[in-house]
Amino acid sequence: MNEVEYLRIISGQRQDWRAQTLKPCLWVCSLFYRAVVSFRNRMFDWRLRAIERPLVPVISLGNLTTGGTGKTPFVAYLARWFQQQQIQVTLLSRGYRALPGEVNDEKLLLDRLCPGIPHYQNPNRCASSKQAVKEDAQLLLLDDGFQHRKLARDLDIVLIDAVCPWGHGWLLPRGLMREPKSALQRADFVILTRADQCSPATLERLKVEVAEMLSPDRIACAVFRPQELVNVAGDTESLASVAGKTVWGFCAIGNPEGFRQTLENAGFVVAGMQIFPDHHHYSSSDLEGIGVEAANASADLILTTSKDLVKISEQKLSELPVWAVEIGAEITEGREAFEGILQNLVQEVSSD
């Protein structure tokens, strides 16, 4: 069973006898997972496990579920924001699913989106934080850091996907929750992403639910706006120039349905989409198959995500142009409160 089929089972999209047999087994496994997570958190809460504090402020950006909340666009948003404030920010990430001796797709993308901003990938982020401080970092931005409690932080930001906020309602592996909802009590600020892809009533209910664990003035809403198209050569194309075109999509991200919704909201006619496991490394046969499917669907062009584009070198597949939809994060509600907190960190750094 691959990751795509697993997601179909836990989300309820697949309802055959195998799925119905597997879900109780996954539920039992999730009970053991809950016990391990609870024990680990208690060890940190009671200071029975060491927590290292770097010599500079740390911002953690993470989530409660496994991927799909839009962390990468928000890491870029925060990195550029501090860069504009003349703060030397450095990114720290684990390097999840990187090939041996290589960096992963997130670093490749962030290097392009945040030129000039150092980015250290190391599963031992305490070690990379020390290295960054030696290289004159003034502020550390910890990517996917909510569960990485070994490194102390000055601001803990959690992203929640408004479309699927609680990972299908269960902890791993029955669902996609890394921790129970109660873990939000550790957060300093919560941002509800893809707020434009759910109904206003659903969004309001989610705000109320989150406000049970966090002050309402520490909750913001955000959307991801398509900005332009870009290809592997770095050429760009406006969205208006291809509006209404028939497209074939492919992606290997945590929330593929979010990408489909983005394409449809941008005015494209989505003839179909191929979904691969998160952080998938594309083979030549994968790309050939994408081109064949797109041509058979009479697509005008092939669209993917920026995170997927950095893993391929082809400008065309089956003679169809391949473009990535460049996405930008935008806070639509609660921006003033959020940036006020960021500004406090700027003042802290500037006073040192």
Side-chain angles (χ1 to χ4, degrees), residues 226-230 235-247 266-268 300-301 303 321 323-324:
Q227 298 177 327
E228 61 182 1
L229 302 182
V230 61
D235 302 324
T236 59
E237 192 75 47
S238 70
L239 292 169
S241 67
V242 291
K245 295 283 188 180
T246 299
V247 304
F268 294 110
D300 300 308
L301 61 159
L303 296 182
W323 297 90

Side-chain angles (χ1 to χ4, degrees), residues 3-308:
E3 183 177 329
V4 175
E5 284 305 306
Y6 163 71
L7 291 175
R8 292 185 65 231
I9 289 172
I10 65 172
S11 67
Q13 295 178 26
R14 181 172 162 181
Q15 294 285 351
D16 58 47
W17 68 269
R18 291 182 180 178
Q20 297 303 320
T21 302
L22 184 59
K23 281 190 283 190
C25 299
L26 295 175
W27 176 76
V28 171
C29 293
S30 72
L31 297 179
F32 289 98
Y33 176 85
R34 178 187 286 270
V36 172
V37 168
S38 178
F39 177 75
R40 179 179 181 273
N41 279 329
R42 293 296 176 269
M43 294 289 283
F44 282 110
D45 293 340
W46 296 337
R47 296 296 188 265
L48 297 177
R49 292 194 64 175
I51 299 176
E52 294 190 26
R53 179 167 290 279
L55 298 176
V56 300
V58 176
I59 296 177
S60 167
L61 189 69
N63 51 26
L64 286 181
T65 57
T66 56
T69 59
K71 285 194 311 296
T72 303
F74 254 100
V75 169
Y77 172 94
L78 287 171
R80 291 193 293 250
W81 191 93
F82 281 106
Q83 191 178 49
Q84 291 170 2
Q85 310 301 314
Q86 308 302 311
I87 300 297
Q88 178 58 54
V89 60
T90 296
L91 309 181
L92 306 180
S93 63
R94 173 186 168 190
Y96 181 63
R97 290 192 180 177
L99 294 175
E102 299 183 13
V103 298
N104 71 355
D105 49 6
E106 290 171 345
K107 184 178 188 312
L108 292 172
L109 176 57
L110 287 167
D111 285 348
R112 182 171 68 79
L113 296 177
C114 307
I117 295 180
H119 186 164
Y120 296 98
Q121 281 205 327
N122 185 346
N124 186 342
R125 281 170 277 190
C126 292
S128 58
S129 70
K130 295 175 182 176
Q131 183 181 1
V133 172
K134 287 181 181 179
E135 297 295 328
D136 299 324
Q138 294 178 296
L139 184 142
L140 304 178
L141 186 53
L142 182 60
D143 182 19
D144 198 14
F146 192 56
Q147 286 77 32
H148 187 79
R149 299 186 63 182
K150 292 181 180 179
L151 196 66
R153 66 285 316 270
D154 300 84
L155 179 61
D156 230 337
I157 304 169
V158 174
L159 303 183
I160 295 178
D161 179 9
V163 177
C164 184
W166 311 123
H168 306 301
W170 303 91
L171 289 177
L172 290 166
R174 175 59 183 86
L176 297 177
M177 295 283 286
R178 294 174 172 181
E179 299 183 73
K181 288 187 286 185
S182 58
L184 282 179
Q185 295 171 1
R186 296 201 317 267
D188 298 308
F189 206 95
V190 167
I191 301 176
L192 308 178
T193 63
R194 297 190 178 89
D196 58 335
Q197 294 187 12
C198 65
S199 70
T202 298
L203 184 61
E204 287 304 315
R205 285 195 297 269
L206 180 57
K207 289 180 188 177
V208 171
E209 199 168 358
V210 174
E212 294 176 358
M213 292 159 281
L214 198 73
S215 173
D217 63 353
R218 293 301 180 101
I219 302 172
C221 296
V223 301
F224 300 120
R225 307 273 192 209
Q227 298 177 327
E228 61 182 1
L229 302 182
V230 61
N231 66 10
V232 294
D235 302 324
T236 59
E237 192 75 47
S238 70
L239 292 169
S241 67
V242 291
K245 295 283 188 180
T246 299
V247 304
W248 185 266
F250 73 94
C251 63
I253 58 175
N255 188 345
E257 286 306 312
F259 178 55
R260 178 192 290 271
Q261 189 68 52
T262 295
L263 296 182
E264 293 175 350
N265 290 347
F268 294 110
V269 178
V270 182
M273 191 164 74
Q274 286 165 271
I275 300 171
F276 296 85
D278 195 12
H279 298 280
H280 178 72
H281 297 277
Y282 294 101
S283 65
S284 56
S285 61
D286 290 334
L287 297 175
E288 181 180 351
I290 292 168
V292 169
E293 292 289 345
N296 290 341
S298 301
D300 300 308
L301 61 159
I302 300 172
L303 296 182
T304 189
T305 72
S306 295
K307 189 183 290 187
D308 290 291

